């Protein structure tokens, strides 16, 4: 009998990569989608698996839809990727962010507890929970949380309720504390994709400049396709646990932009960038850098795509996409 998995947030960036991996491993994959009338399959089309997934209608803010799905399919594994994941919007929609990212996770865990207690659960936790600058210069499983956005705060609740249900009810629930990961199907407003899309537009004469906010923060950027392997591995362990997943390297937004422009053959890149206060955040996360030793040792995981390869992959994909149009 093949294993079954439910992926929430399947239409986002990580969902398609994870679904592809699980399908390759012989899983039957269910994907929860909220806009059943008009779903956007673009990212699933990109990885070529749109017709291989079974779709179920549900919303993280609608507990009855979550209960119905879990009760009906009782999957072996649930990967909870659904979220209002854009940090910038979380100040504008703080309550909705909390309802989806925090209370939605509680609904999923209750559905598992009451209707499918053998289901293994993966929670998409985040380096954004670490927030402020840490004197050690890196973050790992022992680093304190000090979130700096309503998004980060909502994810801290989700992290701890995942731990609490493990400790209270002996459920198999694991947190992957993932650092930033990107790809050609990254949402267009996240800074890496905004930069690579903007560069392609400038290169092809479709735009004159690129508006960005704070160029100083540093991020530990990896490739999404590598990170979904860590998610899968966490649920194959004998015991549930929490793991930091990242590359251990970081770069500033400025360094990313410089490399991406350079790769596209534009050396005088600074003249195209307009610093726009609209994109600055009320509170910033200055420096994220992982120490992923635990994941590397316990899961045998390591990133395969380097920073340079990632930048190249994203610039190439946006140039190709816009050239076709
Ligand atoms: P993403 O591209 O923003 O995808 C999130 C998905 O969640 C979207 O498909 C969205 O559906 C769905 N969703 C939003 N609200 C929902 C609701 N109320 N009910 C059901 N589904 C809902 O995010 P991602 O980059 O793939 O990240 C996956 C997860 O990992 C997220 O939880 C994110 O917070 C977390 N994470 C991401 C990173 C990263 O660097 N990418 C790092 C750490 C953690 P629609 O398509 O309908 O909008
Ligand atoms: N989005 C955006 N747009 N960010 C900008 C811009 C801009 O024009 N200009 C500068 N930045 C800076 C932000 O202030 C932030 O410091 C950094 O670029 C990265 O922003 P994002 O790409 O939006 O990602 P994030 O780090 O805030 O959040 C992502 O990573 C988290 C993991 O650390 C998201 O994927 C979260 O969902 C995820 O949890």
């Amino acid at each position: 009998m093949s294993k079954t998995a439910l992926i929430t947030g399947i239409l986002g960036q990580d969902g398609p990569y994870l679904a592809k991996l699980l399908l390759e491993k012989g899983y039957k994959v269910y994907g929860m989608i909220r806009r059943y009338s008009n779903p956007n399959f673009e990212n699933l089309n990109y990885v070529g698996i749109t017709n291989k997934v079974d779709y179920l209608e549900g919303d993280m803010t609608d507990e009855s839809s979550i209960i119905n799905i879990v009760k009906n399919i009782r999957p072996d594994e649930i990967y909870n990727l659904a979220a209002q994941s854009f940090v910038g919007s979380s100040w504008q929609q703080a309550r909705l962010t909390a309802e989806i990212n925090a209370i939605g996770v509680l609904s999923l865990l209750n559905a598992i507890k009451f209707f499918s207690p053998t289901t293994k659960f993966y929670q998409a936790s985040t380096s954004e929970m670490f927030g402020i600058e840490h004197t050690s210069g890196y973050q790992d499983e022992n680093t304190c949380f000090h979130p700096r956005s309503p998004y980060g705060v909502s994810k801290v609740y989700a992290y701890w309720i995942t731990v609490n249900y493990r400790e209270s009810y002996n459920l198999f629930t694991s947190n992957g504390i993932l650092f930033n990961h990107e790809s050609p199907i990254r949402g267009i407003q996240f800074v890496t994709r905004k930069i690579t899309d903007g560069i392609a537009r400038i290169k092809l004469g479709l735009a004159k400049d690129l508006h960005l906010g704070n160029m100083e923060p540093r991020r530990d950027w990896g490739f999404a396709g590598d990170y979904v392997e860590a998610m899968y591995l966490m649920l194959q362990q004998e015991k549930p646990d929490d793991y930091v997943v990242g590359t251990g390297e970081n770069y500033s937004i400025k360094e990313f932009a410089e490399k991406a422009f350079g790769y596209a053959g534009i050396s005088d890149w600074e003249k195209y960038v307009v610093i726009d206060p609209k994109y600055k955040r009320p509170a910033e996360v200055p420096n994220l850098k992982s120490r992923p030793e635990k994941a590397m040792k316990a899961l045998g995981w390591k990133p395969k795509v380097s920073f340079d390869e990632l930048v190249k992959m994203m610039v190439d994909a946006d140039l190709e996409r816009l050239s076709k149009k």
Side-chain angles (χ1 to χ4, degrees):
M1 278 267 286
S2 64
K3 279 196 195 175
T4 54
L6 168 68
I7 302 176
T8 70
I10 192 147
L11 303 180
Q13 171 188 246
D14 293 359
Y17 286 111
L18 177 62
K20 185 163 191 265
L21 177 79
L22 296 179
L23 286 165
E24 281 164 5
K25 292 188 181 294
Y27 281 60
K28 177 167 182 52
V29 176
Y30 295 94
M32 188 179 93
I33 55 178
R34 58 175 165 159
R35 296 191 198 100
Y36 215 59
S37 55
N38 188 21
N40 180 353
F41 290 117
E42 209 176 308
N43 291 348
L44 284 157
N45 288 341
Y46 181 88
V47 301
I49 55 160
T50 308
N51 298 327
K52 297 189 177 141
V53 172
D54 277 32
Y55 301 100
L56 301 165
E57 185 173 0
D59 191 300
M60 293 301 285
T61 61
D62 184 80
E63 192 169 35
S64 62
S65 66
I66 305 269
I67 288 172
N68 267 335
I69 289 175
V70 174
K71 203 174 161 185
N72 287 340
I73 64 171
R74 297 202 287 132
D76 294 299
E77 296 168 10
I78 295 180
Y79 295 86
N80 180 36
L81 309 185
Q84 190 304 93
S85 80
F86 191 50
V87 173
S89 295
S90 72
W91 279 277
Q92 270 68 52
Q93 301 194 20
R95 186 187 171 127
L96 181 66
T97 301
E99 280 167 1
I100 298 170
N101 298 3
I103 303 305
V105 180
L106 179 62
S107 301
L108 257 177
L109 288 167
N110 276 332
I112 291 172
K113 176 185 156 203
F114 289 120
F115 300 108
S116 190
T118 57
T119 294
K120 295 179 174 182
F121 178 74
Y122 172 85
Q123 168 56 19
S125 286
T126 164
S127 50
E128 186 70 17
M129 300 188 301
F130 296 124
I132 52 160
E133 183 99 51
H134 295 85
T135 45
S136 61
Y138 63 80
Q139 298 88 33
D140 66 11
E141 293 80 3
N142 300 313
T143 307
C144 291
F145 298 145
H146 183 144
R148 298 272 286 164
S149 61
Y151 167 82
V153 174
S154 71
K155 286 285 188 172
V156 170
Y157 176 87
Y159 172 92
W160 281 116
I161 201 68
T162 298
V163 173
N164 181 259
Y165 269 49
R166 175 164 85 217
E167 293 174 351
S168 303
Y169 306 116
N170 205 22
L171 299 179
F172 193 114
T173 63
S174 293
N175 282 288
I177 307 174
L178 271 51
F179 283 61
N180 297 49
H181 44 280
E182 319 294 313
S183 72
I185 54 170
R186 180 60 141 156
I188 204 92
Q189 286 305 330
F190 296 91
V191 78
T192 52
R193 183 76 198 290
K194 187 175 169 184
I195 292 171
T196 59
D197 173 74
I199 290 172
R201 284 174 194 279
I202 291 167
K203 184 87 182 161
L204 298 170
L206 302 170
K208 287 204 290 285
D209 51 28
L210 171 62
H211 288 232
L212 293 171
N214 190 349
M215 303 281 283
E216 302 311 319
R218 301 181 73 82
R219 290 290 182 274
D220 178 335
W221 281 298
F223 171 53
D226 289 345
Y227 285 43
V228 298
E229 285 178 17
M231 298 177 187
Y232 163 76
L233 288 169
M234 282 177 219
L235 297 199
Q236 313 314 310
Q237 302 308 300
E238 228 168 81
K239 289 186 181 155
D241 205 342
D242 311 309
Y243 305 85
V244 154
V245 175
T247 69
E249 285 175 21
N250 74 3
Y251 300 87
S252 66
I253 316 301
K254 196 173 175 181
E255 286 166 334
F256 184 100
E258 188 171 15
K259 188 155 291 273
F261 271 104
Y263 181 69
I266 304 173
S267 53
D268 53 349
W269 66 276
E270 274 164 307
K271 77 175 194 203
Y272 295 103
V273 173
V274 178
I275 301 300
D276 189 337
K278 187 164 85 183
Y279 297 111
K280 293 196 174 167
R281 296 176 176 175
E284 187 52 91
V285 172
N287 190 19
L288 291 177
K289 186 175 173 187
S290 65
R291 189 175 161 276
E293 261 72 3
K294 180 176 171 183
M296 287 179 173
K297 279 201 190 113
L299 305 177
W301 176 87
K302 65 172 189 237
K304 295 179 192 130
V305 174
S306 70
F307 178 68
D308 284 13
E309 287 166 340
L310 177 65
V311 174
K312 179 178 179 305
M313 182 197 301
M314 292 178 71
V315 173
D316 281 342
D318 276 319
L319 277 169
E320 193 188 330
R321 184 175 56 87
L322 287 169
S323 303
K324 277 189 195 148
K325 280 189 182 168

